[in-house]
Amino acid sequence: MAVRLVAPRSKITFDEDAAWSSLVALARGRSAPALAVELGDDGAPALRSRHEMTEGARAMLELFAPLACGDVASDFVVAHLGQSLDGRIAVPDGTTRFITGPEDIRHTHRLRALADAVVVGASTTDLDDPELTTRHVSGDDPVRVVLDPRGRVPRDRRVFNDGKAPTILVTTESARRVPVPADVDVLVVSPDPARFSARRVRDALRARGLERLLVEGGGVTVSRFIEDGVVDVVQIAVAPKLIGTGAPALVLSAVCAPPTRVRRFVLGEDVLFEYALERRAPESGA
């Protein structure tokens, strides 16, 4: 799906800040006076501005428009990882900080701002202790979703206690006995970890009106979402670093389906690869 950009010249400049504000408005169902949007037969948004666009604005619209006003904008699952050249997403102690540069960090925060909810696994929550907010960009914080089917995430982590955004703990009946802070919403999606699946998680969140999901890590969680066939777009930012050892990015048990679209963007020193997948129909009994 290619984004078609049309920007007639005028005396007013449409810059990156204006582009981002327009994208956030469109993603939230509001009007963006500086942009007119038309969807082509292929679902690609054609964005027309009355003003001259800067190169930065064009690049931002091309990158984010499919998620803000494209054919999947109202219902998507985007998975994002930042990795080294040798495919590592964490250093040996398990932490994932500082693999990619500040441009990819801001990019991730923008993805959060376009999503209804950001999803992370137990290890990411435990080791990184992330806030999962949009503090580096403008836009609303998403609902924070922690997957903890075995009840092993320490309850002193920031997402459970800082009050900066709503938090949902997705768990199993067998792990529900582990207490959580009063402000944390508990969502049970299966009786035990053996039947805990990404598809169950996606469907349970959809039932709560959380239809635009960003799966942010770690590698095990992203891999499971891909293998369950519920991911629309995989984004991997590759940093020019060699780590040598540490947690791998994707570990898939089968050959991945061919992409419906591949795009590449430069984020500072990092390169972002976007790999779009075709959704699989639910398996019997899923």
Side-chain angles (χ1 to χ4, degrees), residues 177-244:
R177 64 184 181 277
V178 181
V180 297
D183 291 341
V184 176
D185 192 4
V186 177
L187 177 59
V188 175
V189 297
S190 65
D192 55 66
R195 282 175 278 185
F196 190 91
S197 71
R199 188 173 291 276
R200 286 176 182 263
V201 172
R202 192 276 312 271
D203 291 346
L205 294 176
R206 271 184 174 173
R208 294 196 171 201
L210 304 173
E211 297 182 329
R212 297 178 296 186
L213 306 181
L214 168 62
V215 185
E216 197 171 308
V220 171
T221 298
V222 169
S223 297
R224 287 176 177 171
F225 270 75
I226 293 173
E227 290 196 324
D228 271 13
V230 297
V231 174
D232 299 298
V233 175
V234 180
Q235 290 190 352
I236 298 180
V238 181
K241 299 176 181 177
L242 294 174
I243 293 178

Side-chain angles (χ1 to χ4, degrees), residues 243-262:
I243 293 178
T245 184
L250 299 178
V251 179
L252 304 174
S253 61
V255 176
C256 198
T260 59
R261 181 185 74 249
V262 177

Side-chain angles (χ1 to χ4, degrees), residues 123-147:
S123 294
T124 297
T125 308
D126 182 14
L127 296 172
D128 285 357
D129 194 15
E131 294 182 53
L132 303 178
T133 63
T134 61
R135 60 194 180 277
H136 291 312
V137 300
S138 60
D140 296 336
D141 293 323
V143 174
R144 304 177 294 190
V145 178
V146 176
L147 309 184

Side-chain angles (χ1 to χ4, degrees), residues 18-55:
W20 176 243
S21 296
S22 297
L23 288 167
V24 171
L26 292 170
R28 298 302 171 188
R30 303 190 296 268
S31 63
L35 285 179
V37 182
E38 299 176 3
L39 291 183
D41 293 338
D42 59 354
L47 305 178
R48 303 178 183 275
S49 173
R50 299 189 303 271
H51 313 308
E52 182 179 2
M53 290 187 189
T54 65
E55 287 303 314

Side-chain angles (χ1 to χ4, degrees), residues 25-186:
L26 292 170
R28 298 302 171 188
R30 303 190 296 268
S31 63
L35 285 179
V37 182
E38 299 176 3
L39 291 183
D41 293 338
D42 59 354
L47 305 178
R48 303 178 183 275
S49 173
R50 299 189 303 271
H51 313 308
E52 182 179 2
M53 290 187 189
T54 65
E55 287 303 314
R58 285 179 174 273
M60 182 170 291
L61 292 175
E62 185 178 357
L63 176 53
F64 289 107
L67 299 180
C69 53
D71 57 348
V72 299
S74 63
D75 175 12
F76 62 70
V77 180
V78 174
H80 176 276
L81 289 172
Q83 69 169 53
S84 62
L85 285 173
D86 51 348
R88 304 296 179 178
I89 62 168
V91 294
D93 68 1
T95 56
T96 62
R97 292 191 181 97
F98 312 124
I99 299 294
T100 54
E103 290 83 2
D104 181 54
I105 292 173
R106 284 193 294 273
H107 171 76
T108 305
H109 284 224
R110 287 190 172 110
L111 289 176
R112 293 174 185 174
L114 296 178
D116 298 324
V118 55
V119 181
V120 292
S123 294
T124 297
T125 308
D126 182 14
L127 296 172
D128 285 357
D129 194 15
E131 294 182 53
L132 303 178
T133 63
T134 61
R135 60 194 180 277
H136 291 312
V137 300
S138 60
D140 296 336
D141 293 323
V143 174
R144 304 177 294 190
V145 178
V146 176
L147 309 184
D148 189 18
R150 292 179 172 80
R152 64 185 180 88
V153 178
R155 299 320 192 214
D156 62 352
R157 294 303 181 253
R158 285 186 290 190
V159 291
F160 299 136
N161 299 284
D162 63 14
K164 293 182 177 180
T167 298
I168 299 175
L169 177 70
V170 181
T171 188
T172 58
E173 195 63 51
S174 63
R176 192 174 188 176
R177 64 184 181 277
V178 181
V180 297
D183 291 341
V184 176
D185 192 4
V186 177

